[in-house]
Amino acid sequence: MSPILLAPTADLRASWLQAREEEGPGVHLHGAGLREHDDVNTPAGFTAWTARLRSCADTSVPPAPGWVHSTYRWVVENDTYLGTIDLRHELNDFLLEAGGHIGYSIRPSARRRGLATWALARTLERAHAMGLDRVLLTCDPDNTASAATIERNGGRLEDTRDTVLGPKRRYWITL
């Protein structure tokens, strides 16, 4: 079966928790939309978190202060959570400096299969359909896998600079 991009759902809680365990304690899950106060360990908390993620795309509701509207999708295959990708609808100052329009991560056991490249390509199509003409993506300078994913999708390196998140390679993709 081929992977799909799916809106976050509480139905995949067990698989998502297994993926988080693969990452290890304290690892930041890029593009997951996970905030400090989110409770993903209880069924009710996980349900509330996935509902919040789905609501982030609703432009009729103002985003939380400091945040922008985002469309979260999970990479899923055979009812197994493989990763996440987040399309931020616009850039605020923080995202322009360090975060970019799109963040993503693939669980360790699913890496090196081209899933990030595939998910990014689908998300770029969505960004174009939303009316964006170019998007910014960033990655750590030593994250060669992410840099390759971005470059395979047309990313052009603007520069590497120090940000509030540390040094970041900044790529623009014209849609």
Side-chain angles (χ1 to χ4, degrees):
M1 183 174 237
S2 297
I4 60 171
L5 291 178
L6 184 70
T9 174
D11 294 341
L12 294 173
R13 178 175 176 263
S15 182
W16 188 92
L17 289 171
Q18 289 170 346
R20 184 182 67 172
E21 287 298 314
E22 284 181 23
E23 290 289 352
V27 172
H28 175 72
L29 303 173
H30 296 282
L34 193 57
R35 299 179 189 169
E36 280 186 36
H37 66 274
D38 287 322
D39 167 21
V40 295
N41 294 314
T42 67
F46 195 88
T47 298
W49 174 61
T50 56
R52 181 181 62 75
L53 292 180
R54 290 189 307 275
S55 73
C56 288
D58 185 351
T59 57
S60 70
V61 178
W67 293 75
V68 299
H69 288 105
S70 295
T71 300
Y72 292 92
R73 291 292 180 260
W74 287 357
V75 181
V76 176
E77 187 175 54
N78 299 327
D79 293 325
T80 300
Y81 170 90
L82 301 177
T84 188
I85 192 158
D86 168 23
L87 170 59
R88 297 145 192 151
H89 299 189
E90 61 184 323
L91 298 176
N92 59 20
D93 290 341
F94 168 76
L95 294 173
L96 180 60
E97 177 191 0
H101 282 98
I102 299 172
Y104 54 85
S105 61
I106 301 295
R107 70 189 289 173
S109 63
R111 292 179 184 158
R112 308 201 62 78
R113 292 181 43 200
L115 292 168
T117 300
W118 171 84
L120 179 54
R122 303 293 77 73
T123 303
L124 292 172
E125 292 169 1
R126 180 179 295 263
H128 182 68
M130 288 175 45
L132 296 174
D133 58 356
R134 69 182 192 143
V135 294
L136 173 68
L137 286 92
T138 69
C139 67
D140 292 343
D142 62 348
N143 190 341
T144 57
S146 188
T149 294
I150 296 166
E151 290 167 2
R152 279 193 292 274
N153 275 284
R156 300 288 177 240
L157 181 65
E158 177 182 53
D159 61 18
T160 300
R161 65 177 74 167
D162 289 325
T163 74
V164 296
L165 297 177
K168 295 291 177 187
R169 292 173 61 99
R170 296 167 41 85
Y171 289 90
W172 287 96
I173 299 176
T174 301
L175 304 176

